[in-house]
Amino acid sequence: MKRRHPRQIRQDEELRRRFEEFYRQHFAALSRYVSRRLPPESHDEVVAAAFVIAWKKFSDVDSPTLPWLYRIASFEVSNERRRLGREPRMVALWDISPTDKSPLADIFDISSAYAQLSEGDREVLRLIFWEDLERTEAAEVLGCSVNTLNVRVHRALERLRGAIARVDAGSRSSHHVEPKEE
Amino acid sequence: MTTDYLEDLLRSLDPGFNDPAQANLTHEDEVWLIVTRSLEEARPRRRVHRYELVGSVGTAVTATAVLIATLGGTTTSALAATLHAAASADSHAARLPRLAAGKFYYQDSQVSLTCNVTSPSMPAGDAPITYIANGTMQSWTTVGGAGKVVLTPSRINGNGSHFATAEDEARWVAAGEPFIPCALINQSNQLGGNPANADHDGSLGGYSSTVSGYGGFGLSLAMTSETTLLSSATSINDLPSSPAAISSLLANGQINPNGSVSVSPQACPIQDESTSASVGCTPSEQLEVMEQLIQLPDASAKLGSALYQVLANLPGATLLGPVTTEGVAGAAVSVPQGDNEAFEVVLNSTTGALISCSELLTQNGVTSSIATVTYGSVQVVDGSGSTPASASNS
């Protein structure tokens, strides 16, 4: 059996210590990230899988960051969604912040509009407005340039505005919408 | 709406998960144990290579093409033949009636959802209250696919809606009649239930309740009446009529849930861990898109025969034996979703018209409906919002 040099052991232990520190520092954020995207029963497995991948890449990264961890987790979330067969089938009122004081009608409108966006648009918006990442960080998660990210955010917001307008028009005049004849 | 307000509203949608119980934040040490066990094993992670995924999708497409070819042959099973007959009939007997200028196609369908509801006012640890909510779904569309779909949920116990058992209703009353998210409570089409559930200023205040088990079909029958506008620019008009061509586009992620076709994969690109390359849709993702396509108001009549064949040849699809729904003889296709759910489509054996779509859940050996939409016949009306004098099922 090959024996490790004591210096190697010390380096491994130091790496392990740094990784546990990294884990303790970012568990809560990653836990929320996963909880926002998957049903509760997937949480532990997916969070653990993301950290295991992170560990395997840990020594290759100069300064592991939360966006770097999110990017790893994004693949695990995708894998889990495929394993589940679809996105989680939940309608949950706690999707709306119970402390929110915005008018109910506006919350319903934006909730309906948000649901009409593509998964790509929703993910961009989630990273910016829920994970509260800087544009550079969100770009790192998505593996794109900041310019591309900015364009994606702009377009997602425009599509959200369009969807809100349609929802709003529909709810205000559910019997008076007259689409043009083709 | 200002950008700042829009962004504030977006933030308000964030589930947040600051409650440790909701966010699994208390699992920190448990998850760390899982991680450390994996670290000890130190096995290199199997990487997903792009060519493997392409191969899988390619195999699925090839298998689909082969199966589609055999559906029309003499070696198919009796059930496959029944489905094929129904699908073929669709293109002949159930095609859309002619539409004069200014007229609309109209379809009146019934939706039934099973909601499991919990609320803070229920005793801790109590099982969810099960409520079956019925609603209506009306669609008005033009030849080009423009128009609207209006979903109207029912008030508590209205339109055949009911609690699963008398005990469920008794528990709901005992809990102070908490809000049921998939039902309307009052005649003004407003969020209701116990007034204590909502603040007087119109926000959700301290209200908290969950419902699980439904989010499918791209429709959300919850809270209030809802109108979705349809655009001819994002309709099924660009879809090819050949099942093989549809299968190919579907597998490649080019068909979007609204029926539009993208030049490049958009619907569900699979991200390879190493390259983030987009390589198309998995079979389960294809099924998800198919569910949406089949239920577009004009899809059954325009492309039913092709769509049904694509559906029937998705991995795991089962052709179920002659079924009778409300006196109408039908053929059914069931496609599994994950481990314990299935999507089931019932077609009129004579006309090929879509009778119903269901999402089924199997638990402890018992299969029940999570959601079912039963479709009425397509009729012609004078305008968007108009209804025919009488509507009957096909």
Side-chain angles (χ1 to χ4, degrees):
Chain A
M1 184 177 172
K2 187 178 178 183
R3 297 183 63 179
R4 290 187 301 162
H5 190 280
R7 189 171 60 192
Q8 179 65 44
I9 293 175
R10 279 199 301 277
Q11 286 175 346
D12 287 351
E13 286 174 349
E14 170 60 15
L15 193 63
R16 178 76 171 260
R17 187 195 62 73
R18 279 179 45 222
F19 181 69
E20 180 165 1
E21 200 173 275
F22 177 79
Y23 175 88
R24 300 293 176 191
Q25 184 181 355
H26 294 307
F27 174 83
L30 189 65
S31 173
R32 291 191 182 94
Y33 174 94
V34 171
S35 297
R36 284 167 175 139
R37 290 161 176 80
L38 291 171
E41 56 269 24
S42 298
H43 172 272
D44 288 6
E45 192 177 334
V46 170
V47 171
F51 273 112
V52 170
I53 299 293
W55 165 249
K56 290 176 179 173
K57 299 180 175 183
F58 201 65
S59 60
D60 300 331
V61 182
D62 289 338
S63 52
T65 59
L66 185 58
W68 172 76
L69 183 61
Y70 281 160
R71 180 161 173 78
I72 291 172
S74 71
F75 295 118
E76 297 304 320
V77 168
S78 296
N79 290 339
E80 179 67 2
R81 282 179 175 165
R82 284 199 289 279
R83 192 188 70 77
L84 293 172
R86 56 178 50 241
E87 285 190 42
R89 314 179 66 70
M90 298 186 296
V91 178
L93 258 200
W94 40 256
D95 280 356
I96 299 170
S97 168
T99 58
D100 186 86
K101 293 296 177 188
S102 301
L104 190 59
D106 285 354
I107 294 178
F108 286 158
D109 281 357
I110 197 167
S111 180
S112 300
Y114 174 81
Q116 291 177 19
L117 298 180
S118 68
E119 175 53 23
D121 283 346
R122 289 201 298 258
E123 182 61 14
V124 166
L125 298 177
R126 278 194 294 256
L127 290 172
I128 298 294
F129 297 105
W130 294 6
E131 263 76 40
D132 211 18
L133 295 181
E134 298 293 333
R135 299 292 174 106
T136 51
E137 295 173 326
E140 182 182 349
V141 176
L142 295 173
C144 64
S145 69
V146 177
N147 281 342
T148 301
L149 188 277
N150 284 335
V151 170
R152 288 184 64 176
V153 172
H154 175 75
R155 288 179 177 169
L157 285 173
E158 286 306 299
R159 281 190 278 264
L160 183 65
R161 282 182 191 281
I164 290 173
R166 290 193 296 276
V167 168
D168 194 37
S171 61
R172 276 190 286 105
S173 58
S174 63
H175 294 286
H176 302 289
V177 178
E178 299 291 342
K180 287 182 181 177
E181 177 61 84
E182 298 298 305
Chain B
M1 185 180 290
T2 65
T3 299
D4 284 350
Y5 184 57
L6 178 68
E7 293 180 355
D8 284 347
L9 282 176
L10 255 176
R11 290 190 177 91
S12 78
L13 290 184
D14 179 10
F17 296 108
N18 291 316
D19 176 358
Q22 274 191 354
N24 294 309
L25 291 175
T26 55
H27 294 197
E28 182 172 342
D29 290 332
E30 295 167 32
V31 174
W32 177 245
L33 277 180
I34 300 173
V35 173
T36 50
R37 272 201 298 270
S38 299
L39 301 190
E40 303 302 336
E41 292 171 6
R43 274 184 291 190
R45 188 166 185 271
R46 177 179 171 275
R47 298 180 76 84
V48 180
H49 295 293
R50 184 179 183 186
Y51 62 83
E52 289 179 327
L53 290 166
V54 171
S56 303
V57 173
T59 303
V61 171
T62 305
T64 300
V66 170
L67 283 165
I68 286 169
T70 59
L71 264 179
T74 55
T75 57
T76 52
S77 69
L79 287 176
T82 301
L83 174 74
H84 187 238
S88 299
D90 175 68
S91 60
H92 303 294
R95 64 191 169 194
L96 292 171
R98 285 189 175 280
L99 202 61
K103 304 284 187 181
F104 284 77
Y105 294 124
Y106 170 76
Q107 191 172 33
D108 187 350
S109 306
Q110 300 300 310
V111 185
S112 180
L113 312 177
T114 301
C115 305
N116 294 311
V117 182
T118 61
S119 86
S121 57
M122 291 168 61
D126 254 21
I129 292 169
T130 302
Y131 179 77
I132 291 84
N134 292 342
T136 60
M137 180 170 68
Q138 299 165 288
S139 67
W140 290 266
T141 50
T142 64
V143 172
K148 67 179 180 181
V149 177
V150 176
L151 278 164
T152 308
S154 303
R155 288 178 290 126
I156 292 286
N157 286 337
N159 190 26
S161 301
H162 59 279
F163 289 87
T165 64
E167 184 199 351
D168 279 305
E169 184 159 11
R171 289 169 55 215
W172 177 68
V173 171
E177 302 188 354
F179 175 53
I180 295 180
C182 60
L184 286 175
I185 309 291
N186 66 30
Q187 291 178 313
S188 301
N189 192 31
Q190 292 175 340
L191 172 68
N194 189 328
N197 288 333
D199 280 358
H200 294 296
D201 65 2
S203 78
L204 285 174
Y207 178 77
S208 170
S209 182
T210 63
V211 55
S212 63
Y214 181 74
F217 299 166
L219 308 170
S220 175
L221 188 70
M223 301 178 186
T224 57
S225 180
E226 183 176 294
T227 300
T228 302
L229 299 185
L230 305 171
S231 164
S232 58
T234 53
S235 70
I236 63 170
N237 295 336
D238 292 335
L239 280 179
S241 56
S242 145
I246 294 174
S247 291
S248 178
L249 289 170
L250 189 66
N252 202 37
Q254 289 177 258
I255 300 180
N256 303 305
N258 59 17
S260 61
V261 178
S262 298
V263 176
S264 58
Q266 297 289 329
C268 41
I270 295 171
Q271 288 192 306
D272 180 357
E273 179 191 332
S274 56
T275 66
S276 300
S278 297
V279 292
C281 294
T282 63
S284 60
E285 288 169 329
Q286 292 177 44
L287 171 61
E288 194 167 348
V289 174
M290 285 299 296
E291 288 183 23
Q292 311 287 326
L293 290 184
I294 282 177
Q295 295 174 99
L296 290 171
D298 49 351
S300 173
K302 285 182 179 175
L303 280 171
S305 57
L307 294 179
Y308 302 149
Q309 289 185 50
V310 173
L311 182 77
N313 290 293
L314 286 175
T318 308
L319 303 174
L320 304 176
V323 295
T324 302
T325 304
E326 296 183 0
V328 179
V333 183
S334 178
V335 189
Q337 297 173 325
D339 294 333
N340 58 358
E341 289 185 25
F343 175 63
E344 187 175 297
V345 168
V346 179
L347 311 174
N348 184 315
S349 296
T350 305
T351 67
L354 186 61
I355 294 177
S356 68
C357 291
S358 297
E359 295 186 357
L360 306 174
L361 174 69
T362 300
Q363 283 182 316
N364 303 320
V366 177
T367 299
S368 57
S369 167
I370 297 173
T372 296
V373 181
T374 305
Y375 297 88
S377 60
V378 176
Q379 300 178 66
V380 176
V381 296
D382 291 336
S384 177
S386 301
T387 56
S390 62
S392 60
N393 271 357
S394 53

